[in-house]
Short mmCIF file of all heavy atoms in Angstrom, two decimals:
data_model
loop_
_atom_site.label_atom_id
_atom_site.label_comp_id
_atom_site.label_asym_id
_atom_site.label_seq_id
_atom_site.Cartn_x
_atom_site.Cartn_y
_atom_site.Cartn_z
N GLY A 18 -117.95 -87.32 83.34
CA GLY A 18 -118.74 -87.05 84.53
C GLY A 18 -120.22 -87.23 84.33
O GLY A 18 -120.98 -87.23 85.29
N VAL A 26 -136.41 -100.84 85.30
CA VAL A 26 -137.16 -101.78 86.15
C VAL A 26 -138.47 -102.13 85.46
O VAL A 26 -139.16 -101.26 84.92
CB VAL A 26 -137.47 -101.14 87.53
CG1 VAL A 26 -138.23 -102.13 88.42
CG2 VAL A 26 -136.21 -100.65 88.21
N MET A 37 -129.12 -102.60 84.65
CA MET A 37 -128.46 -101.33 84.37
C MET A 37 -128.23 -101.22 82.87
O MET A 37 -127.52 -102.05 82.28
CB MET A 37 -127.11 -101.28 85.09
CG MET A 37 -127.23 -101.35 86.59
SD MET A 37 -128.01 -99.86 87.24
CE MET A 37 -128.91 -100.57 88.60
N ASN A 131 -145.91 -99.81 77.12
CA ASN A 131 -145.23 -98.71 76.42
C ASN A 131 -143.72 -98.92 76.50
O ASN A 131 -142.99 -98.70 75.52
CB ASN A 131 -145.55 -97.36 77.07
CG ASN A 131 -146.95 -96.86 76.74
OD1 ASN A 131 -147.61 -97.41 75.87
ND2 ASN A 131 -147.37 -95.83 77.43
N GLY A 141 -134.10 -102.86 69.72
CA GLY A 141 -134.59 -104.17 69.29
C GLY A 141 -135.05 -104.20 67.84
O GLY A 141 -134.44 -103.60 66.96
N CYS A 191 -164.76 -109.20 77.09
CA CYS A 191 -163.37 -108.97 77.50
C CYS A 191 -163.36 -108.55 78.97
O CYS A 191 -164.34 -108.00 79.47
CB CYS A 191 -162.77 -107.87 76.63
SG CYS A 191 -161.07 -107.46 77.05
N GLY A 234 -157.40 -127.12 82.06
CA GLY A 234 -157.41 -126.85 80.62
C GLY A 234 -156.00 -126.71 80.08
O GLY A 234 -155.02 -127.02 80.75
N VAL A 240 -150.26 -125.27 73.20
CA VAL A 240 -150.74 -125.18 71.81
C VAL A 240 -149.55 -124.91 70.88
O VAL A 240 -149.40 -125.56 69.84
CB VAL A 240 -151.82 -124.08 71.66
CG1 VAL A 240 -152.21 -123.90 70.19
CG2 VAL A 240 -153.04 -124.40 72.52
N ALA A 308 -149.16 -101.69 53.27
CA ALA A 308 -148.68 -103.03 53.63
C ALA A 308 -147.21 -103.19 53.22
O ALA A 308 -146.41 -103.76 53.98
CB ALA A 308 -149.54 -104.10 52.95
#
Side-chain angles (χ1 to χ4, degrees):
V26 181
M37 298 292 145
N131 285 349
C191 179
V240 174

